[in-house]
């Protein structure tokens, strides 16, 4: 497909102006960290079965059930056998493993659990895969594949794998473009190619079928695509009141972003970026007629933002409805105040107590928990010590 024909497939959206906040937030509370449990293998995601019992995906381990009171840990049996073994010891940049664990909105009745992970195929490598299973007696049964973002390759990077349910009951999934260096991009960059499953955000029904009201990218587009131009988005979350879906995005040399998801949006990678390129000799192709959707926020330094949420609890009243975003690089945790879909003010928390942070989440009663990205990974409870 030549570039002039390819340009016809690109979407046209209104670009938003990126406004840097005029105010830096300063919390009046005194948030502190309390270690609830450790000895987790790079925990990636956590969901609550009850106030005191959780499922945790270990990127370098298992799907485990943890009791936050007794500290008991149980491995959930029946995980798909095509899970790629982490080769972190051999290859330091290996990002493979188990990613998101997510419960169905009607979990109390149907017991559906959704999982994303790096799946392997002999002789070919790995690809991001999403499955649905029934959780029964600490085992996964009746597992069904919902999405497999091939091709399988030996690039062990940028799988994506973030998932959230929208208020519309649809499942939204991030898929990374899987490359480490931009110089390896094909003539039509992966994230811009609507025939390639990688570098996209998907919207599907809980059973894996495609909603009738999904945006139309044309007859050659891979099924379920909702937005394109994604490099390495891991965190994705739904605002519980407005229904807006926000996601975090990893750049290469800087270029980390917070975006709001829009149907048919093109987030630009690798044609445009708010940072630089890892390959200095890389010059992105020009695609005439393309209009890109700007991020809501971008950092001037590397943060590697991950699993974000909107806070709705009562323990931190002044944080109500703020967006909380953890980061792997520099071990940061950010709080954003949003007005009219614009970030108006920011605060970086725990600047004197940094730790690689993979996911922030909230219990049914509104308690805040943070997962640390370490070989001896921890569940930290964030408490108001005012």
């Amino acid at each position: 497909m030549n570039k002039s024909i390819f340009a016809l497939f690109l979407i046209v959206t209104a670009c938003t102006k990126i406004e840097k906040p005029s105010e830096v937030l300063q919390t009046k509370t005194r948030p502190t960290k309390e270690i609830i449990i450790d000895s987790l293998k790079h925990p990636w995601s956590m969901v609550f079965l009850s106030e005191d019992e959780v499922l945790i995906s270990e990127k370098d381990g298992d799907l485990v059930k943890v009791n936050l009171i007794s500290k008991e840990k149980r491995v959930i049996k029946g995980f798909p056998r095509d899970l790629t073994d982490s080769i972190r010891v051999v290859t330091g940049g290996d990002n493979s493993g188990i990613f998101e664990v997510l419960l169905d909105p009607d979990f109390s009745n149907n017991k559906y659990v959704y999982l994303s992970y790096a799946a392997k195929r002999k002789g070919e490598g790995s690809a991001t895969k999403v499955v649905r299973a029934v959780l029964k007696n600490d085992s996964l049964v009746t597992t069904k594949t919902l999405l497999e973002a091939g091709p399988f390759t030996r690039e062990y990077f940028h799988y994506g794998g973030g998932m959230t349910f929208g208020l519309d009951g649809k499942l939204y999934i991030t898929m990374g473009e899987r490359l480490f260096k931009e110089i390896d991009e094909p003539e039509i960059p992966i994230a811009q190619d609507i025939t390639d499953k990688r570098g996209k955000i998907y919207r599907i029904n809980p059973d894996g079928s495609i909603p009738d009201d999904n945006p139309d990218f044309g007859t050659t587009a891979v099924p379920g695509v909702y937005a394109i131009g994604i490099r390495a988005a891991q965190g994705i979350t739904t605002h519980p009141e407005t229904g807006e879906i926000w996601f975090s995005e990893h750049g290469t040399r800087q270029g980390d972003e917070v975006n709001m998801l829009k149907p048919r949006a093109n987030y630009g990678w690798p044609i445009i970026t708010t940072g630089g390129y890892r390959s200095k000799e890389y010059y992105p192709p020009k695609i005439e007629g393309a209009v890109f959707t700007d991020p809501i926020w971008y950092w001037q330094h590397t943060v590697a933002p991950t699993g974000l949420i909107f806070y709705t609890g009562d323990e931190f009243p002044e944080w109500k409805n703020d967006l909380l975003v953890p980061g792997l690089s520099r071990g940061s945790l950010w709080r954003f105040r949003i007005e009219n879909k614009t970030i108006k003010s920011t605060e970086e928390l725990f600047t004197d107590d940094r730790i690689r942070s993979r996911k922030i989440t909230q219990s049914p009663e509104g308690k805040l928990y943070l997962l640390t990205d370490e070989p001896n990974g921890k569940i930290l409870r964030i408490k108001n010590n005012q």
Side-chain angles (χ1 to χ4, degrees):
M1 185 186 298
N2 64 45
K3 293 178 182 177
S4 61
I5 295 176
F6 170 66
L8 296 177
F9 291 104
L10 289 176
I11 52 175
V12 178
T13 61
C15 287
T16 58
K17 182 180 179 181
I18 306 173
E19 298 182 16
K20 287 295 181 180
S22 58
E23 174 189 0
V24 176
L25 288 170
Q26 291 186 340
T27 186
K28 298 176 183 178
T29 56
R30 294 178 55 199
T32 59
K33 298 174 184 175
E34 175 189 350
I35 298 175
I36 301 301
I37 198 168
D38 59 11
S39 302
L40 296 169
K41 301 173 183 177
H42 290 273
W44 209 98
S45 179
M46 182 167 86
V47 292
F48 288 84
L49 299 171
S50 66
E51 183 63 26
D52 299 325
E53 197 168 54
V54 298
L55 287 179
I56 295 177
S57 58
E58 297 177 307
K59 194 162 78 69
D60 290 355
D62 300 290
L63 179 66
V64 296
K65 184 164 74 172
V66 176
N67 188 294
L68 302 178
I69 304 301
S70 69
K71 319 299 183 185
E72 180 186 10
K73 288 186 288 187
R74 292 185 182 179
V75 174
I76 300 298
K77 300 176 182 178
F79 199 94
R81 294 183 179 180
D82 61 350
L83 170 65
T84 299
D85 297 329
S86 173
I87 56 172
R88 183 184 303 275
V89 176
V90 179
T91 305
D94 177 27
N95 293 153
S96 61
I98 306 175
F99 310 129
E100 195 85 70
V101 55
L102 184 69
L103 301 185
D104 192 274
D106 194 29
F107 175 79
S108 60
N109 292 316
N110 60 31
K111 304 302 179 183
Y112 284 145
V113 176
Y114 300 79
L115 298 153
S116 59
Y117 64 98
K120 62 185 176 183
R121 183 175 291 173
K122 187 176 180 179
E124 297 182 43
S126 65
T128 312
K129 189 172 181 178
V130 174
V131 299
R132 185 181 75 178
V134 173
L135 182 63
K136 182 179 181 180
N137 298 327
D138 293 343
S139 294
L140 300 176
V141 298
T142 321
T143 301
K144 177 182 180 180
T145 298
L146 302 184
L147 183 60
E148 189 177 80
F152 284 70
T153 74
R154 298 192 184 278
E155 294 275 2
Y156 295 96
F157 314 99
H158 309 152
Y159 289 92
M163 296 190 292
T164 188
F165 271 99
L167 297 187
D168 56 5
K170 308 304 181 185
L171 181 60
Y172 294 80
I173 305 166
T174 70
M175 290 292 178
E177 61 138 23
R178 301 290 314 285
L179 293 183
F180 185 73
K181 294 183 178 180
E182 298 82 23
I183 199 65
D184 294 329
E185 292 279 4
E187 180 180 2
I188 301 172
I190 288 172
Q192 296 293 322
D193 185 352
I194 61 170
T195 68
D196 194 309
K197 294 181 179 179
R198 299 166 293 176
K200 314 294 188 293
I201 292 181
Y202 290 82
R203 178 179 183 258
I204 63 175
N205 292 316
D207 64 358
S209 61
I210 308 304
D212 293 335
D213 58 348
N214 262 18
D216 183 7
F217 283 86
T219 57
T220 61
V222 293
V225 172
Y226 195 75
I228 68 174
I230 303 298
R231 179 181 180 269
Q234 292 183 357
I236 186 168
T237 192
T238 303
H239 194 294
E241 295 179 358
T242 67
E244 296 166 353
I245 295 177
W246 294 60
F247 66 95
S248 57
E249 173 81 281
H250 288 207
T252 48
R253 295 175 59 246
Q254 292 80 53
D256 294 335
E257 302 173 352
V258 174
N259 290 278
M260 188 168 67
L261 183 60
K262 299 178 181 179
R264 294 183 59 83
N266 184 344
Y267 293 93
W269 180 259
I271 311 304
I272 60 170
T273 175
T274 54
Y277 296 108
R278 184 169 279 131
S279 302
K280 295 182 180 180
E281 65 274 33
Y282 178 70
Y283 297 95
K286 294 181 180 180
I287 303 176
E288 296 182 4
V291 179
F292 304 106
T293 297
D294 290 335
I296 301 297
W297 169 270
Y298 67 93
W299 285 269
Q300 300 289 347
H301 59 277
T302 298
V303 170
T306 50
L308 67 175
I309 63 162
F310 284 95
Y311 177 68
T312 60
D314 297 321
E315 186 171 0
F316 296 91
E318 63 178 310
W319 295 9
K320 200 81 166 184
N321 295 320
D322 288 350
L323 183 65
L324 303 179
V325 185
L328 299 172
S329 180
R330 294 161 57 99
S332 56
L333 179 62
W334 292 76
R335 178 167 72 100
F336 294 105
R337 176 65 46 77
I338 298 170
E339 297 177 12
N340 298 321
K341 303 179 182 179
T342 300
I343 292 175
K344 290 296 186 183
S345 47
T346 66
E347 179 183 24
E348 186 178 8
L349 302 163
F350 300 113
T351 55
D352 59 347
D353 184 20
R354 297 181 180 276
I355 190 168
R356 279 178 62 91
S357 303
R358 174 67 69 175
K359 177 88 168 184
I360 190 162
T361 189
Q362 182 178 298
S363 76
E365 293 181 3
K367 297 176 183 176
L368 275 177
Y369 293 88
L370 185 70
L371 297 181
T372 70
D373 183 63
E374 306 171 280
N376 179 28
K378 303 174 183 65
I379 302 175
L380 302 178
R381 166 93 156 86
I382 299 177
K383 302 176 73 173
N384 187 346
N385 198 35
Q386 186 176 15

